Amino acid sequence: MYSVFLKNQKVKCPVGWYDEERKSGVVLDISVEAELTEVPQDHDLDGGLDYIRMCEIVNAEASVERKLIETLAQAICHRVWYEKPKLISKIIVTNEKCHIQNHQFNGYCCGMRIEKNYILD
């Protein structure tokens, strides 16, 4: 297995079920891992997946207003897969919300993880 990953990209997103969360923005730590079918040859950036491009995708999708972090994760999966559809076999996106404003919550963070498998021709 060969994968390219981005771990804990901090973004302020207009995401949340409540209007106030979308207005003020919520800080998320977003991680993305893309499993690739082959290792690129030396000096062949086109044969792999650029992790800086993954950062750009996360930042772009995080700027779109949404009610659910699950919808954000699905959009990131789709955009990353679209970069190399013949090379990517699996994508995992994790969205962690670490600053919970609720007296019931005393953990480090909460969030969600989505794993999408792709069938390659």
Side-chain angles (χ1 to χ4, degrees):
M1 178 186 81
Y2 166 66
S3 63
V4 174
F5 65 90
L6 169 66
K7 191 170 183 180
N8 298 104
Q9 173 83 358
K10 287 198 182 312
V11 290
K12 189 169 186 179
C13 311
V15 65
W17 187 254
Y18 302 104
D19 291 337
E20 182 56 37
E21 288 179 308
R22 291 190 308 279
K23 285 179 187 173
S24 63
V26 172
V27 176
L28 296 177
D29 285 352
I30 300 177
S31 298
V32 181
E33 183 173 353
E35 188 174 302
L36 308 181
T37 58
E38 55 190 64
V39 177
Q41 299 298 313
D42 197 22
H43 305 297
D44 181 18
L45 284 178
D46 290 333
L49 181 63
D50 183 354
Y51 54 84
I52 297 301
R53 181 69 184 124
M54 288 172 60
C55 291
E56 293 169 353
I57 290 169
V58 167
N59 291 338
E61 290 300 329
S63 69
V64 176
E65 185 175 311
R66 295 179 170 90
K67 286 192 173 182
L68 298 175
I69 61 175
E70 290 85 350
T71 309
L72 171 59
Q74 289 178 342
I76 292 168
C77 277
H78 177 74
R79 290 271 309 270
V80 170
W81 176 80
Y82 190 74
E83 289 291 307
K84 299 285 181 169
K86 295 181 192 263
L87 188 63
I88 296 173
S89 60
K90 179 170 39 175
I91 299 174
I92 300 168
V93 176
T94 306
N95 290 342
E96 296 178 336
K97 190 174 176 181
C98 299
H99 303 286
I100 310 299
Q101 305 280 324
N102 185 299
H103 70 280
Q104 297 292 322
F105 182 78
N106 65 359
Y108 170 71
C109 69
C110 55
M112 55 77 52
R113 179 179 180 267
I114 187 171
E115 181 175 320
K116 290 197 157 264
N117 292 294
Y118 299 93
I119 298 172
L120 302 172
D121 293 336

